[in-house]
Amino acid sequence: MGVSGRLGLSAAVVLVLMMFLPMVLFPQKSERDSLLSGIANGKTRVLDLSYAINDKLVPWPGDKRWFEAQVNATVEKNGYFTRSFWMLEHYGTHLDAPIHFPPGKATVDHIPAKRFFGPAVVLDVSAEGAKDADYQAPASRVEEWEKKHGRISEGSIVLLRTGWASRWPDAGKYRNQDAQGKMHFPGFSADAAKLLVSRKVSGIGCDTLSVDYGASEDFAVHHLVLGAGLYQLENLSNLSEVPEAGAFLVVAPIKLEGGSGGPARVFAVWQVGSNEVRK
Ligand SMILES: [Zn+2]
């Protein structure tokens, strides 16, 4: 390249700098005010919807082992600290992959990553749940939400707030079993599940042991939702603090090859202020 070529290149570099420098120094308002950039300056709230994992959480009735951890190396002996652990795939705050119930197919590692990010729709049935532990949220509850906040958009994640988290981690109160051992806690109805599948949501979740109500024997919601290729989140914490509309969910399950599900870290993020819609 000759002298004139180098000069031409320098001019081009200056031109490009002049074009982009203002964008860097003075970002667009929407960029400055975006959900993610607000995390650092406190305009965006980040809430962890997962329980810390230990051996004292509430397993599904009948499970004999659920979590064990052992120390493999200590700072005193080895100069560093490590543990190994064993746990059920469905224990604590976790994700059910489609393959968990037929006719679902995908294992947890095959759920497309983009489906782990979506608007959070919170259906509050805590009043109904307090009155009737066998309450199954009907499709009309979904329609009521839509009347207030607009049609549920594709890729949303719909969470059922039953208030059951206040019983966690008391296994007796959380499972609420009767003399026959049948559990009693609220859940989604099959009709609500069908409507949500038709809305093309990415997943549904709840603050109980199961998205089906506790006394369910056919697990109709599991078959419908997982069969349609959606995922489920169970034993979510802190749902009482998530606004009914306006929050965004980040779901991070373990990428366990071949897994029927697994422990998941779930975060809700939302801009504090105008678009926060509480009940
Ligand atoms: Zn599960």
Side-chain angles (χ1 to χ4, degrees):
M1 189 185 285
V3 173
S4 62
R6 273 204 299 275
L7 277 176
L9 189 66
S10 308
V13 168
V14 169
L15 196 68
V16 167
L17 275 177
M18 280 169 64
M19 279 168 67
F20 288 103
L21 207 57
M23 290 171 73
V24 175
L25 293 177
F26 311 106
Q28 295 295 299
K29 191 173 183 303
S30 61
E31 202 180 322
R32 280 203 311 269
D33 294 345
S34 77
L35 196 62
L36 294 180
S37 63
I39 292 172
N41 64 25
K43 285 184 180 162
T44 296
R45 171 123 193 249
V46 179
L47 185 64
D48 193 340
L49 305 185
S50 348
Y51 292 114
I53 300 165
N54 60 46
D55 60 357
K56 301 198 174 44
L57 308 185
V58 186
W60 191 260
D63 284 331
K64 301 278 181 290
R65 298 165 69 203
W66 42 88
F67 176 84
E68 288 153 22
Q70 74 172 47
V71 173
N72 291 339
T74 62
V75 172
E76 292 74 22
K77 227 164 123 188
N78 311 88
Y80 56 88
F81 173 54
T82 64
R83 305 192 312 170
S84 60
F85 69 92
W86 175 96
M87 72 183 287
L88 297 169
E89 288 178 334
H90 301 260
Y91 179 66
T93 305
H94 71 274
L95 180 141
D96 291 356
I99 201 170
H100 183 40
F101 268 69
K105 294 281 182 288
T107 52
V108 66
D109 52 315
H110 279 121
I111 301 171
K114 68 176 242 184
R115 302 186 65 184
F116 294 132
F117 302 81
V121 168
V122 177
L123 306 175
D124 189 319
V125 299
S126 47
E128 292 86 346
K131 273 186 246 144
D132 176 10
D134 294 325
Y135 180 76
Q136 298 177 69
S140 60
R141 287 309 304 262
V142 177
E143 287 157 354
E144 276 169 37
W145 188 97
E146 291 190 321
K147 261 182 224 137
K148 271 163 88 177
H149 306 295
R151 194 180 161 98
I152 293 172
S153 57
E154 187 174 341
S156 293
I157 301 154
V158 182
L159 308 175
L160 194 66
R161 185 202 284 160
T162 70
W164 235 245
S166 64
R167 299 164 178 241
W168 183 272
D170 183 322
K173 287 183 185 158
Y174 196 71
R175 291 175 177 159
N176 198 26
Q177 284 167 293
D178 61 25
Q180 282 71 47
K182 190 177 281 232
M183 295 190 288
H184 297 278
F185 53 78
F188 288 92
S189 68
D191 283 345
K194 277 182 207 156
L195 180 58
L196 294 172
V197 167
S198 78
R199 292 288 186 267
K200 296 188 167 63
V201 303
S202 286
I204 65 171
C206 62
D207 55 1
T208 65
L209 264 179
S210 168
V211 291
D212 274 287
Y213 78 123
S216 173
E217 285 177 359
D218 59 2
F219 299 100
V221 174
H222 274 68
H223 287 288
L224 279 164
V225 169
L226 300 177
L230 281 54
Y231 59 79
Q232 300 171 169
L233 302 167
E234 291 166 332
N235 298 322
L236 290 167
S237 71
N238 287 327
L239 275 194
S240 57
E241 294 187 55
V242 184
E244 277 195 352
F248 193 86
L249 225 63
V250 178
V251 179
I254 187 170
K255 194 168 183 177
L256 188 62
E257 196 169 307
S260 71
R265 203 76 189 260
V266 182
F267 302 100
V269 292
W270 67 93
Q271 276 178 324
V272 181
S274 60
N275 69 344
E276 185 171 349
V277 187
R278 288 202 63 84
K279 204 178 174 216

